[in-house]
Amino acid sequence: MVCLNLIWRSNLEVFSLTVTANLRLLGFAPNLLELVLPISFKIAYTKVSFMSRFYVTTPIYYVNDKPHLGHAYTTLAADVLARWHRQRGDDVFFLTGTDEHGAKVQQSAEAAGLTPQALADQNAQKFKDAWSALNISYDYFIRTSQAEHEVVVRELLQRVYDAGYIYSGEYEGLYCVGCEKFMPDGELVNGRCPLHPNQDPVAQKEKNYFFKLSAFRDKLLTKLEAGEYKVIPEGRYNEVVGKLKQGLEDISISRNSVEWGVRVPWDESQTIYVWIDALINYYSATQFVPGKKEFWPADVHLLAKDILWFHAVIWEALLLAAELPLPKVVASHGFFTIDGQKMSKSLGNVIDPLDLIKEFGLEATRYLLLSQVPFTIDGDISLARFRERYESDLANGLGNTFSRVTDMIEKFGNGNFTAQPGVITYTESTSSAVENALRLFEFDTALLAIFDIIRTIDGEIEKYKPWNMVKLDKSQEIQPLLNRWGTMLLDVSLYIKPFMPETAHNIEQGLRADKVLKTTPLFPRLSS
């Protein structure tokens, strides 16, 4: 496959359209804009570039949990990136899934009178259902209890063991069952894990196998500082580098007392530490999912900041030990508070994304989650602000503008509309703004750039007032304006498609009808 970037030049300005060509058939298949362009436009420039691969991952979510707002935010961000790259013509692999091993799952299963596998089966489906409800376009849903994954985990760890980076020892310390993590004294707050302040860590002493993490300090620093893999945002990159410079300690990578897990290949009496098992999913999926081997290394790992160390240091060290390529970017987002308070089950303020869909609808929920909080920093979520943004940006913004334009095309243009690529003012500037924002994971900034087009259309409508032009006998001047505004809305539909695919489809469908009619509201006003 190649991508051909064709630029048609009208007498006004340049309009770009990317189409995909199949070399085998030597034919063109317009699959992105699907606009019927006037044949009088002449090709001014042609550039051929080979299709790129793009591999994006979310963390695999722990099956002891149920989908919440944080899970939805990370997964939705990955979905937008995947859709955007597909729209550009890239070959995309989007991976998500569930983390199903470890002490916490084993204990919860026992308490529920279930086997660990039965509990994992039950709860993994909840994540699949949530992602279906959010229209998440993942390519594969991995589960760490899959036999195919376990085979790759054992093979990779055997390579690290054979290379001399794993040794036997005895671990004695405190273990946070909630995090499935050994807790050094320096990370405890008042003797407890800061993320699980209501749980006492468990004192443990057992024979384990250790990974020589300390051997990779200098290599990791060199690769980070050379940009061979990136940690985003810059503040967290600095935190990782600063901690690396303080030195690394070897880490335990097996458990003697946990039955529910992947067996250590050279010692079946031990199970592999759940975090090591989980991290390998990003690589394992490329090895057993058909046709995905060439996608490693991952282009982007998306995750929350609390698990950055595992993803930016421990994972890379394991890959170096196994002589495998490193992921290109590790991008972490901040934490949410709800109305200024930490999201907590005990406070009863955990928001279920399915409840948001019930109140605002699917497309609005996707928009609201990514527009309210910048990806790379901590942010506060408020249902009241969600309602305000729904009304201002969607009901009174995009939805109302689309209704006004289609109404005027029906009323003043007799339903006739012709797309005019040559009059799009914002194609190049918006394209660059959206692309730059998404490369920096600034989803809110990308949406602002797109919605600037809506504000421009609204401003022009108020400036020209077509209803007054009819009274002034200027009807012949109205159709070019209608064509311009309709075309700008098609422009919006293109850019907004990764964020709100159904909305984009509805805009395109409404404006490409044989006769354009005023549409039903895209975003009905909320009942008071």
Side-chain angles (χ1 to χ4, degrees):
M1 285 283 198
V2 297
C3 287
L4 299 177
N5 296 317
L6 304 180
I7 299 180
W8 280 260
R9 183 180 298 277
S10 72
N11 59 341
L12 294 176
E13 52 193 298
V14 173
F15 177 69
S16 300
L17 170 62
T18 301
V19 299
T20 303
N22 188 311
L23 285 177
R24 186 165 48 82
L25 297 177
L26 296 178
F28 299 101
N31 68 332
L32 298 181
L33 275 181
E34 300 173 2
L35 284 173
V36 179
L37 298 176
I39 60 175
S40 59
F41 288 153
K42 57 184 178 181
I43 297 176
Y45 175 76
T46 303
K47 182 177 77 174
V48 181
S49 60
F50 285 98
M51 176 188 290
S52 299
R53 293 188 186 88
F54 180 74
Y55 178 23
V56 60
T57 73
T58 72
I60 49 174
Y61 303 112
Y62 210 53
V63 287
N64 250 33
D65 214 342
K66 71 173 188 175
H68 60 59
L69 203 63
H71 301 140
Y73 184 75
T74 316
T75 309
L76 182 53
D79 184 61
V80 169
L81 292 178
R83 289 177 183 272
W84 176 58
H85 276 273
R86 292 189 194 109
Q87 190 166 301
R88 294 173 72 237
D90 294 338
D91 189 8
V92 172
F93 184 32
F94 171 16
L95 180 71
T96 190
T98 42
D99 180 3
E100 303 185 356
H101 288 135
K104 190 159 60 170
V105 173
Q106 184 174 313
Q107 292 172 5
S108 296
E110 291 170 357
L114 298 171
T115 65
Q117 186 66 65
L119 180 70
D121 292 345
Q122 175 181 294
N123 289 352
Q125 189 59 46
K126 293 178 182 177
F127 282 92
K128 288 185 176 182
D129 292 343
W131 302 159
S132 176
L134 274 168
N135 195 14
I136 302 297
S137 63
Y138 62 81
D139 296 296
Y140 193 80
F141 190 100
I142 191 170
R143 299 178 56 189
T144 56
S145 63
Q146 287 178 249
E148 302 96 326
H149 166 74
E150 294 185 7
V151 167
V152 180
V153 170
R154 285 164 61 91
E155 288 176 349
L156 190 148
L157 217 58
Q158 185 69 55
R159 287 173 64 175
V160 177
Y161 179 78
D162 292 343
Y165 290 112
I166 294 176
Y167 63 91
S168 177
E170 188 174 84
Y171 184 86
E172 183 173 6
L174 296 174
Y175 188 80
C176 174
V177 175
C179 288
E180 292 280 13
K181 176 184 176 183
F182 291 106
M183 301 293 297
D185 290 341
E187 294 185 18
L188 298 174
V189 177
N190 298 321
R192 290 180 171 178
C193 168
L195 296 179
H196 298 90
N198 298 322
Q199 298 177 15
D200 288 319
V202 179
Q204 293 185 343
K205 180 179 180 179
E206 61 180 39
K207 175 192 172 184
N208 288 160
Y209 287 95
F210 287 77
F211 171 55
K212 293 181 182 178
L213 181 63
S214 59
F216 295 93
R217 171 187 173 274
D218 292 343
K219 290 181 181 178
L220 291 171
L221 276 171
T222 298
K223 290 184 178 294
L224 274 170
E225 291 171 347
E228 291 185 39
Y229 76 101
K230 297 179 181 179
V231 173
I232 293 174
E234 184 179 1
R236 290 188 202 118
Y237 163 85
N238 292 333
E239 290 173 11
V240 169
V241 168
K243 195 172 177 180
L244 276 170
K245 288 180 177 178
Q246 295 173 20
L248 293 174
E249 295 181 358
D250 296 347
I251 59 170
S252 171
I253 59 161
S254 72
R255 300 294 309 280
N256 187 47
S257 57
V258 178
E259 290 295 317
W260 178 237
V262 181
R263 294 289 164 183
V264 171
W266 61 88
D267 184 350
E268 295 283 335
S269 70
Q270 299 259 327
T271 53
I272 297 168
Y273 174 40
V274 62
W275 262 106
I276 302 301
D277 167 17
L279 287 167
I280 295 172
N281 95 90
Y282 306 122
Y283 173 72
S284 73
T286 65
Q287 302 307 293
F288 70 79
V289 177
K292 303 304 179 185
K293 285 192 176 182
E294 293 184 359
F295 277 86
W296 189 260
D299 290 276
V300 182
H301 290 324
L302 292 180
L303 50 127
K305 68 178 184 179
D306 57 324
I307 55 174
L308 178 60
W309 185 255
F310 287 101
H311 286 81
V313 174
I314 296 173
W315 177 219
E316 281 73 12
L318 279 169
L319 290 167
L320 289 174
E323 297 184 341
L324 290 170
L326 303 185
K328 298 171 188 175
V329 176
V330 179
S332 63
H333 64 76
F335 288 156
F336 289 138
T337 53
I338 307 297
D339 293 317
Q341 292 185 303
K342 181 180 177 181
M343 192 163 57
S344 164
K345 291 178 183 177
S346 61
L347 293 174
N349 65 350
V350 175
I351 297 176
D352 187 328
L354 299 182
D355 290 337
L356 291 179
I357 294 173
K358 289 176 185 175
E359 179 167 359
F360 299 107
L362 165 62
E363 294 284 283
T365 296
R366 289 174 62 98
Y367 173 80
L368 293 170
L369 281 176
L370 288 178
S371 65
Q372 186 160 338
V373 178
F375 183 81
T376 55
I377 64 174
D378 294 346
D380 187 59
I381 293 292
S382 163
L383 287 177
R385 283 198 295 277
F386 272 176
R387 295 182 185 108
E388 290 171 4
R389 291 292 292 271
Y390 177 96
E391 294 289 359
S392 64
D393 295 3
L394 300 178
N396 296 327
L398 174 58
N400 185 54
T401 301
F402 181 57
S403 292
R404 292 180 80 186
V405 171
T406 53
D407 180 41
M408 288 187 290
I409 291 174
E410 179 184 8
K411 186 180 297 182
F412 303 130
N414 196 30
N416 295 316
F417 163 67
T418 303
Q420 299 290 315
V423 302
I424 295 182
T425 304
Y426 290 86
T427 294
E428 292 300 326
S429 61
T430 303
S431 177
S432 297
V434 171
E435 182 164 344
N436 291 337
L438 291 181
R439 290 191 187 284
L440 295 172
F441 309 100
E442 295 174 353
F443 301 96
D444 58 322
T445 301
L447 286 167
L448 279 173
I450 298 166
F451 273 68
D452 275 345
I453 302 177
I454 301 300
R455 287 182 277 274
T456 297
I457 296 172
D458 286 340
E460 291 186 2
I461 291 173
E462 292 307 312
K463 175 182 177 181
Y464 291 104
K465 296 182 174 60
W467 50 91
N468 285 341
M469 295 173 71
V470 172
K471 297 175 185 177
L472 297 172
D473 198 26
K474 294 184 177 181
S475 299
Q476 72 279 3
E477 299 177 25
I478 296 177
Q479 190 64 48
L481 291 173
L482 300 179
N483 289 343
R484 171 182 171 82
W485 297 332
T487 303
M488 291 172 78
L489 281 169
L490 285 177
D491 201 29
V492 168
S493 74
L494 173 68
Y495 297 125
I496 210 167
K497 190 175 291 186
F499 297 88
M500 306 167 74
E502 291 183 7
T503 299
H505 173 75
N506 290 337
I507 292 172
E508 292 167 6
Q509 191 174 50
L511 288 169
R512 289 181 186 150
D514 292 335
K515 286 286 184 180
V516 175
L517 305 175
K518 181 179 180 180
T519 61
T520 56
L522 293 174
F523 301 99
R525 287 179 171 80
L526 299 173
S527 57
S528 56

